[in-house]
Amino acid sequence: MLAKQTPLTKQMLSKLLQTSSSKPKQLKKIHALVLTSGLSVKNSLLTHLLENLTLVGDMCYARKVFDEMHKPRVFLWNTLFKGYVKNNLPFESVQLYKKMRDLDTLGIVATELVMMYMKFGELKSAQFLFESMQGKDLVAWNAFIAVCVQTGNSALALECYNKMCADDAVLFDSFTVVSMLSACGQLGSLEIGKEVYDRARREGIDCNIIVENARLDMFLKCGSTEEAMVLFEEMEQRNVVSWSTMIVGYAMNGDSDEALALFNMMQNQGIRPNYVTFLGVLSACSHAGLVDEGKKYFGIMARSSDKSLEPRKEHYACMVDLLGRSGLLEEAYEFIKNMPLEPDAGIWGALLGACAVHGEIKLGQKVADVLVETAPDIGAYQVLLSNIYAAAGKWHCVDKVRSKMRKLGTKKVAAYSSVEFDGQLHYFNRGDKSHPQTKAIYEKLEEVLKKIRSMGYVPQTGSVFHDVETEEKESSLSHHSEKLAIAFGLINGRVEDPIRVMKNLRTCDDCHVFAKFVSRVTSRDIIMRDKNRFHHFRNGVCSCREFW
DNA sequence: CTAGGGTTAG
């Protein structure tokens, strides 16, 4: 009764729409109320309704409401698109996109949508939409390339860059260059990275500090600390990102002394370190086993009056890594238990990694149990646990972990290595026979194995995690992806150039020993990047000094 | 009312 007599006001409707968020039926009722209220229906009033409908997933009704709107603004299109993304309806969104095609808001919304798909892990949808976009402008191309790199799809970014270069309608700019240098760093593609940069120079693109920082990072991620240092010294300006890039890069390349020296120089020059800088410093300590120094720097952060330098989860993970790697497993465990932040999978993962390095079964098991709860979908942790069991010869436990993984559908990431040659990346899996030079590669491998065996190389069968006979273990080991990659490098590269091998996972003991021997008998430098760090092999010695 | 792209770390 009362409701009928009380005139419905905009404020009331707006309130109503804001508070009722989760019941589709209620939302439809309110919509009816809006339509019959006689109030002039403004888009702003319908915005909440649209948002709520997309939240509850009633996209059909959301579309109906949207179609009733008068000249919807960009953000309203966006709301609907976001709804489609969230409810995983790529085809509807493309349909909507086609409708939008005649309007001038086209590019902006579609670009944002493509990025959103990528960030949701919907690679196929993102590609589908991106390719359906007609007359893409520079920003659209750049956005796609950038988001590819950000989501770890650098190979796709490279592909896209080539397509963009082939398209006469767009020219690239410094944004493109930065993303591409970043992509080349990820891929370990030194030649292509240089090519991109040289082309930018030729075409008169303004190579500002961001471009140079990206190039610096590219050199370091490709293991070329020499070129990075030359560039760093030549740079007209250096900001905190330049310094941090150097510190992080040198730490990753195993030169902790240089990393810490850079940190001191930076402070002497009055550049304030930020939290990323400290991540580099801590990781430098970690890779060199400098426990006391690491604690010192962590203490500096914790005591700093600068709020932005308060240790974050990543710093705690670094400390766990530092303690654990140095064999202080119990201390690392206590450190986690006492930390003021909620430990995440990355922190527990660091401890599990350390348990694996030191063959610590009991603690490893405990940590793995925690990780099954917090990150059941990350196969790497289960693999670590199973490796710990395997190293101790507890094969029935290995089987248990494996069958559990099978039951949960947890996937292992397959190991692969790559080597760049002649501006082209060559990929190898374990036991790979797909490369056109397969025959020559395996012959080279045999030849080298024979030579280094006579010099005392013994396969480290301890790093085979299957319960098989020794002979089988050796043959399984000898075809690891990094060995194939090294053999490929021996055949193809110039003798004076190092062989740069990029591996997606941690390398094994045997491949590490193998690379040392090979660097000695062939007099070639081998630079190997694994998931954690670089190993620079020269004349039978590795830069890591056996601590990794 | 605003609203698409870039560097270090994860």
Side-chain angles (χ1 to χ4, degrees):
Chain A
M1 266 309 266
L2 204 69
K4 258 187 188 162
Q5 285 164 358
T6 317
L8 198 60
T9 64
K10 280 184 195 174
Q11 285 83 358
M12 286 166 67
L13 263 180
S14 166
K15 200 89 188 175
L16 208 56
L17 286 164
Q18 274 176 47
T19 47
S20 66
S21 57
S22 61
K23 297 197 179 80
K25 259 193 189 162
Q26 214 180 343
L27 287 170
K28 285 181 192 174
K29 229 182 233 169
I30 295 166
H31 185 213
L33 213 57
V34 171
L35 292 179
T36 55
S37 66
L39 292 167
S40 67
V41 185
K42 287 267 176 59
N43 285 355
S44 60
L45 213 56
L46 293 173
T47 305
H48 291 300
L49 186 60
L50 191 67
E51 280 173 356
N52 290 338
L53 283 165
T54 58
L55 274 178
V56 299
D58 192 342
M59 291 311 296
C60 280
Y61 205 82
R63 179 59 185 267
K64 186 168 172 270
V65 172
F66 180 80
D67 285 340
E68 281 166 14
M69 290 177 154
H70 178 65
K71 283 194 179 170
R73 303 273 318 242
V74 173
F75 77 97
L76 287 169
W77 288 89
N78 239 337
T79 304
L80 199 59
F81 273 129
K82 277 183 197 165
Y84 283 138
V85 172
K86 218 184 215 148
N87 295 293
N88 202 14
L89 298 163
F91 294 98
E92 279 78 356
S93 70
V94 170
Q95 205 189 357
L96 184 69
Y97 165 70
K98 281 184 182 144
K99 179 185 163 134
M100 203 177 59
R101 208 171 253 180
D102 308 325
L103 303 167
D104 50 3
T105 49
L106 163 123
I108 299 172
V109 181
T111 303
E112 190 172 327
L113 185 65
V114 168
M115 294 194 78
M116 242 186 305
Y117 270 129
M118 285 297 279
K119 286 174 184 167
F120 271 79
E122 293 291 329
L123 185 97
K124 287 272 167 286
S125 305
Q127 263 186 297
F128 185 80
L129 179 58
F130 183 70
E131 271 155 28
S132 79
M133 286 168 74
Q134 301 291 314
K136 290 181 274 279
D137 66 1
L138 179 60
V139 178
W141 283 99
N142 282 346
F144 188 64
I145 293 175
V147 83
C148 284
V149 179
Q150 283 159 15
T151 54
N153 293 290
S154 287
L156 187 57
L158 187 56
E159 215 177 281
C160 185
Y161 169 77
N162 288 330
K163 272 189 207 154
M164 184 186 180
C165 293
D167 187 339
D168 293 331
V170 280
L171 290 171
F172 73 140
D173 68 358
S174 66
F175 282 72
T176 329
V177 178
V178 170
S179 292
M180 283 315 298
L181 289 172
S182 183
C184 291
Q186 249 182 47
L187 294 168
S189 191
L190 193 55
E191 287 177 43
I192 301 174
K194 286 179 185 172
E195 225 173 81
V196 171
Y197 179 79
D198 289 344
R199 179 165 169 233
R201 273 282 147 125
R202 276 201 308 278
E203 309 215 347
I205 284 166
D206 169 38
C207 292
N208 57 22
I209 188 163
I210 302 182
V211 175
E212 297 300 350
N213 284 344
R215 187 155 74 107
L216 196 59
D217 179 54
M218 190 270 292
F219 284 140
L220 290 161
K221 286 220 172 77
C222 291
S224 184
T225 46
E226 301 86 356
E227 282 168 296
M229 191 50 99
V230 170
L231 168 59
F232 185 70
E233 281 171 352
E234 278 174 5
M235 281 168 75
E236 285 166 24
Q237 313 168 355
R238 294 176 208 118
N239 58 16
V240 63
V241 177
S242 327
W243 285 95
S244 304
T245 303
M246 284 295 274
I247 293 168
V248 169
Y250 266 90
M252 201 168 58
N253 276 280
D255 194 341
S256 305
D257 295 343
E258 187 61 49
L260 296 178
L262 281 160
F263 181 64
N264 284 329
M265 266 157 65
M266 164 185 190
Q267 283 169 304
N268 290 340
Q269 296 195 13
I271 313 271
R272 289 171 64 87
N274 64 16
Y275 76 101
V276 181
T277 324
F278 273 100
L279 279 174
V281 170
L282 292 177
S283 98
C285 295
S286 185
H287 288 308
L290 303 170
V291 177
D292 292 337
E293 273 85 348
K295 285 181 183 169
K296 184 184 88 186
Y297 291 117
F298 190 83
I300 292 175
M301 293 186 76
R303 282 192 305 275
S304 166
S305 55
D306 187 347
K307 266 267 185 260
S308 70
L309 281 184
E310 248 171 57
R312 308 183 184 192
K313 283 186 183 173
E314 300 95 303
H315 300 100
Y316 281 91
C318 265
M319 285 304 287
V320 170
D321 186 61
L322 170 65
L323 296 168
R325 214 186 274 274
S326 301
L328 304 167
L329 294 163
E330 276 306 320
E331 192 177 338
Y333 187 45
E334 287 304 311
F335 184 79
I336 296 178
K337 283 200 287 196
N338 293 326
M339 61 183 273
L341 305 170
E342 184 65 33
D344 61 7
I347 291 171
W348 289 114
L351 185 53
L352 186 60
C355 290
V357 170
H358 294 284
E360 171 63 46
I361 299 186
K362 239 175 134 188
L363 185 58
Q365 213 162 9
K366 217 184 311 183
V367 175
D369 286 343
V370 178
L371 281 165
V372 170
E373 297 287 317
T374 44
D377 51 325
I378 302 180
Y381 298 138
Q382 301 308 306
V383 174
L384 271 177
L385 178 64
S386 118
N387 290 357
I388 295 174
Y389 285 136
K394 293 187 179 288
W395 300 108
H396 62 286
C397 292
V398 173
D399 290 340
K400 234 190 269 172
V401 178
R402 293 241 167 99
S403 67
K404 194 168 175 185
M405 283 178 73
R406 234 172 287 130
K407 213 161 68 196
L408 291 169
T410 324
K411 286 201 186 75
K412 277 210 262 191
V413 178
Y416 68 83
S417 301
S418 65
V419 172
E420 186 182 42
F421 176 67
D422 209 11
Q424 194 78 30
L425 283 164
H426 299 258
Y427 288 91
F428 301 94
N429 295 314
R430 171 152 54 76
D432 207 326
K433 298 232 158 93
S434 61
H435 194 275
Q437 294 181 336
T438 291
K439 196 162 169 278
I441 290 168
Y442 279 81
E443 278 167 13
K444 190 69 176 175
L445 192 53
E446 277 313 312
E447 176 198 321
V448 170
L449 277 169
K450 205 171 153 195
K451 212 184 277 176
I452 65 176
R453 267 199 211 106
S454 72
M455 294 182 62
Y457 162 74
V458 180
Q460 310 287 299
T461 47
S463 33
V464 178
F465 301 121
H466 305 276
D467 189 11
V468 292
E469 296 303 316
T470 311
E471 206 171 302
E472 237 176 290
K473 282 189 179 181
E474 287 186 17
S475 76
S476 148
L477 273 179
S478 65
H479 296 159
H480 273 182
S481 66
E482 45 270 64
K483 294 199 181 76
L484 298 176
I486 289 171
F488 171 84
L490 287 171
I491 298 171
N492 295 293
R494 294 190 310 174
V495 186
E496 59 270 34
D497 288 339
I499 302 171
R500 294 172 200 279
V501 179
M502 306 291 153
K503 178 159 191 203
N504 66 332
L505 302 175
R506 190 182 199 269
T507 195
C508 75
D509 284 328
D510 184 61
C511 287
H512 194 259
V513 174
F514 174 86
K516 278 190 291 184
F517 272 101
V518 173
S519 73
R520 193 157 108 215
V521 297
T522 62
S523 309
R524 287 195 65 175
D525 286 6
I526 299 173
I527 299 175
M528 192 153 78
R529 182 180 85 184
D530 76 5
K531 200 166 192 308
N532 301 320
R533 57 166 300 154
F534 276 95
H535 296 273
H536 293 252
F537 301 95
R538 169 174 287 178
N539 204 14
V541 180
C542 180
S543 62
C544 74
R545 296 182 205 127
E546 305 306 305
F547 184 81
W548 54 291

